[in-house]
């Protein structure tokens, strides 16, 4: 099975990258338009999410999933490919990473990861976390269930990060299944989330 696709230029031209459960090239491979090639010796477990991000050292490919090594290098659930070698992102996560995206919350472009984990880089981060190129940080209190999808969207009020998954509370709010991060806090200052419509009101159903 292939679970993730993205496009990235490793310096040799734009190519398609695929991640998944396939063992032939150790769960991740590059398609240049005519043939497949491996990325080092790949991962020792499933790749479930892929994206590209520039942390200040140049654009790189980021992979998340259920692995503990990338080309033999210790990399817990998430790793960075610079076109020639894999490297970890701090100490990584304590459980599976299922989604990756890039977003600027006003403090600079950063990488966001979602999944099953409850720590990122040794810091408490419930199923969602931010990587600024050097360290991990949580997003509020996170979610009480798995984050399975992340993307950025501007609904007219400015670009915001959206998370979908199997959770019933998100960022200290009562949002279930889909939540928005990156909008102004309500008057009580408790949360950074604006609740989205709930089932029965044009919202998201399980």
């Amino acid at each position: 099975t292939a679970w993730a696709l993205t496009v990235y230029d490793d310096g040799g031209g734009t190519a398609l990258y695929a991640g998944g459960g396939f063992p032939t090239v150790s769960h991740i491979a590059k398609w240049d338009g005519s043939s497949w090639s491996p990325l080092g010796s790949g991962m020792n477990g499933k790749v479930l999410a892929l994206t590209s991000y520039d942390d200040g050292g140049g654009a790189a490919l980021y992979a998340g999933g259920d692995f503990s090594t990338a080309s033999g290098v210790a990399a817990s659930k998430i790793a960075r490919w610079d076109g020639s070698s894999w490297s970890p992102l701090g100490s990584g996560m304590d459980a599976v990473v299922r989604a990756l995206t890039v977003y600027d919350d006003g403090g600079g472009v950063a990488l966001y990861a979602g999944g099953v984990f409850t720590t990122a880089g040794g810091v408490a981060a419930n199923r969602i976390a931010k990587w600024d190129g050097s360290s991990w940080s949580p997003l509020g209190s996170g979610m009480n269930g798995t984050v399975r999808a992340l993307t950025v969207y501007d609904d007219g009020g400015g670009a915001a990060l959206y998370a979908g998954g199997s959770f019933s509370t998100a960022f200290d709010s009562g949002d279930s299944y889909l939540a928005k991060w990156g909008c102004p806090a309500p008057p009580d200052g408790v949360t950074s989330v604006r609740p989205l419509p709930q089932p029965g009101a044009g919202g998201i159903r399980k």
Side-chain angles (χ1 to χ4, degrees):
T1 303
W3 278 296
L5 296 170
T6 199
V7 174
Y8 165 64
D9 186 344
D10 63 4
T14 302
L16 176 70
Y17 291 76
F22 45 87
T24 308
V25 283
S26 297
H27 310 290
I28 191 164
K30 171 185 175 181
W31 174 255
D32 64 8
S34 60
S35 62
W36 289 100
S37 59
L39 278 67
S41 58
M43 276 67 166
N44 68 340
K46 300 171 184 176
V47 173
L48 303 173
L50 293 170
T51 196
S52 61
Y53 164 61
D54 186 342
D55 63 4
L61 177 71
Y62 289 76
D66 189 12
F67 53 83
S68 59
T69 65
S71 277
V73 175
S76 187
K77 318 305 180 188
I78 191 163
R80 177 183 186 270
W81 173 256
D82 63 6
S84 59
S85 63
W86 287 102
S87 59
L89 277 67
S91 59
M93 277 67 164
D94 66 337
V96 180
V97 171
R98 290 190 172 274
L100 295 170
T101 198
V102 176
Y103 168 62
D104 186 345
D105 63 2
V109 178
L111 177 71
Y112 289 76
V116 183
F117 57 86
T118 55
T119 67
V123 176
N126 289 316
R127 287 98 185 180
I128 191 166
K130 171 185 175 180
W131 172 257
D132 64 6
S134 60
S135 62
W136 289 101
S137 58
L139 275 68
S141 62
M143 278 72 159
N144 69 342
T146 304
V147 172
R148 300 179 182 276
L150 293 171
T151 197
V152 178
Y153 169 61
D154 186 342
D155 64 2
L161 176 69
Y162 288 78
S166 50
F167 50 83
S168 59
T169 64
F171 311 126
D172 302 311
S173 80
D175 285 357
S176 56
Y177 311 118
L178 181 62
K180 174 182 178 180
W181 172 264
C183 48
D188 63 7
V190 171
T191 177
S192 297
V193 156
R194 182 177 69 202
L196 294 174
Q198 295 300 301
I204 303 299
R205 297 185 181 277
K206 184 175 180 181

